[in-house]
C-alpha cells in the first residue's frame, strides 16, 4: 500500500488528503445530527435556534426550550438558585424536574383558544400512561411554562391539544426521551478518537513525503 501511495503524483495525494479532511468533518456533523439548518430530526423540522427547538404542524408553530434539575441534586442552603442543565430538543440525560417553556409563535390568534397541556409516558406494551393533564386554558401571553416531574427513564410525549383557527381538533406532540443508551455514551467519544487518529496519520504522512 505504501508503494501505491508513493507512486501517486503530488497533486493526487493532496486531493486525497483534502477529501479525507472533508469526510471527517461530514462524519462529525452526522454524529451530532446537525446541519446548516440545525437539528435534522423529522420531529423538529425547523431545527435548533439559539437554545430553542421549533416544532411546526398545520395548525401551530411553537418554540420549545427546557432545563433539567437532576433527580439526585441537592440544593445547598446558601445557593442563589438550583443547578439546571439545558436540554436539547427533548433529549433529557436522566430523571429529574424538567422546566419547560413553550412559546406560541404562529398564528398569534391561537393564544385566544383554550389549550390542553398533557404529559404521557410510553409503557412497555406500547400504551400510554398519563402523568400530567392540565385543564384547558388560554395563554394570551403566548408562553406556557410548566415544571414536569420525570422520575423514570423512558419515552414521554408532551401534548398541546385544542381547536385550531378553523375550529378543528388538533394535537401537537413533543417527544421527550429520558436517559441514554449505553452505545450512545460510546458514540460521543469517537470524534475525539478520530481526530487523534487523523493527527497521527498526517504526522507520519509528512515524514513519508519528506
Amino acid at each position: 500500500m505504501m508503494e501505491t501511495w508513493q507512486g501517486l503524483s503530488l497533486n493526487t495525494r493532496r486531493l486525497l488528503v483534502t477529501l479525507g479532511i472533508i469526510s471527517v468533518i461530514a462524519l462529525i456533523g452526522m454524529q451530532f445530527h446537525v446541519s446548516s439548518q440545525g437539528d435534522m430530526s423529522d420531529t423538529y423540522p425547523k431545527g435548533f435556534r439559539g437554545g430553542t427547538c421549533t416544532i411546526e404542524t398545520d395548525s401551530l408553530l411553537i418554540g420549545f426550550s427546557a432545563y433539567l434539575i437532576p433527580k439526585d441534586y441537592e440544593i445547598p442552603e446558601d445557593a442563589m438558585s438550583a443547578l439546571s442543565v439545558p436540554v436539547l430538543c427533548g433529549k433529557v440525560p436522566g430523571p429529574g424536574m424538567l422546566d419547560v417553556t413553550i412559546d406560541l409563535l404562529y398564528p398569534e390568534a391561537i393564544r385566544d383558544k383554550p389549550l390542553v397541556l398533557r404529559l404521557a409516558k410510553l409503557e412497555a406494551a406500547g400504551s400510554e400512561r398519563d402523568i400530567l393533564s392540565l385543564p384547558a386554558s388560554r395563554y394570551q401571553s403566548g408562553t406556557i411554562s410548566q415544571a414536569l416531574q420525570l422520575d423514570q427513564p423512558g419515552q414521554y410525549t408532551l401534548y398541546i391539544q385544542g381547536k385550531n383557527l378553523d375550529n378543528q381538533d388538533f394535537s401537537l406532540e413533543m417527544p421527550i426521551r429520558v436517559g441514554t443508551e449505553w452505545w450512545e455514551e460510546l458514540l460521543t467519544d469517537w470524534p475525539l478518537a478520530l481526530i487523534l487518529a487523523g493527527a497521527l496519520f498526517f504526522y507520519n504522512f509528512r515524514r513519508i513525503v519528506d
Side-chain angles (χ1 to χ4, degrees):
M1 184 175 180
M2 188 64 65
E3 293 179 356
T4 303
W5 177 261
Q6 292 178 344
L8 297 175
S9 66
L10 181 59
N11 288 335
T12 301
R13 283 184 285 183
R14 287 176 177 173
L15 176 61
L16 291 175
V17 171
T18 302
L19 291 175
I21 294 173
I22 294 174
S23 299
V24 170
I25 295 173
L27 286 172
I28 293 176
M30 292 174 63
Q31 159 67 17
F32 292 104
H33 303 287
V34 296
S35 68
S36 61
Q37 297 301 314
D39 196 313
M40 295 190 299
S41 169
D42 291 337
T43 306
Y44 302 98
K46 289 297 183 178
F48 180 65
R49 299 289 189 276
T52 300
C53 291
T54 53
I55 308 173
E56 183 178 18
T57 67
D58 292 337
S59 301
L60 184 61
L61 171 66
I62 69 165
F64 172 76
S65 60
Y67 288 86
L68 174 73
I69 300 177
K71 186 176 181 179
D72 56 355
Y73 178 72
E74 295 183 2
I75 303 176
E77 294 182 358
D78 58 347
M80 296 296 294
S81 61
L83 173 66
S84 58
V85 179
V87 170
L88 174 60
C89 296
K91 299 176 182 178
V92 182
M97 179 69 72
L98 188 68
D99 289 320
V100 302
T101 300
I102 301 168
D103 297 314
L104 305 175
L105 301 177
Y106 183 84
E108 291 189 11
I110 202 71
R111 303 176 184 182
D112 296 322
K113 294 278 189 177
L115 301 175
V116 174
L117 191 68
R118 183 169 68 91
L119 176 69
K121 185 178 186 299
L122 182 64
E123 298 295 322
S127 59
E128 287 188 339
R129 174 170 58 89
D130 282 352
I131 305 296
L132 173 72
S133 182
L134 299 180
S137 300
R138 290 180 174 85
Y139 298 93
Q140 295 181 333
S141 66
T143 300
I144 303 174
S145 297
Q146 181 64 39
L148 307 175
Q149 184 66 47
L150 307 176
D151 292 328
Q152 299 176 339
Q155 186 68 44
Y156 297 77
T157 303
L158 186 61
Y159 295 92
I160 295 180
Q161 298 170 322
K163 292 185 179 296
N164 60 20
L165 300 187
D166 295 326
N167 211 34
Q168 297 178 341
D169 293 333
F170 78 91
S171 180
L172 184 146
E173 302 180 7
M174 291 163 280
I176 299 173
R177 189 181 65 176
V178 179
T180 56
E181 302 290 344
W182 64 269
W183 51 267
E184 291 180 307
E185 298 291 339
L186 297 177
L187 285 177
T188 57
D189 296 328
W190 78 260
L192 178 60
L194 190 61
I195 292 173
L196 291 176
L200 290 174
F201 170 78
F202 287 120
Y203 174 75
N204 287 289
F205 170 74
R206 289 184 59 187
R207 294 181 61 183
I208 293 172
V209 173
D210 295 340

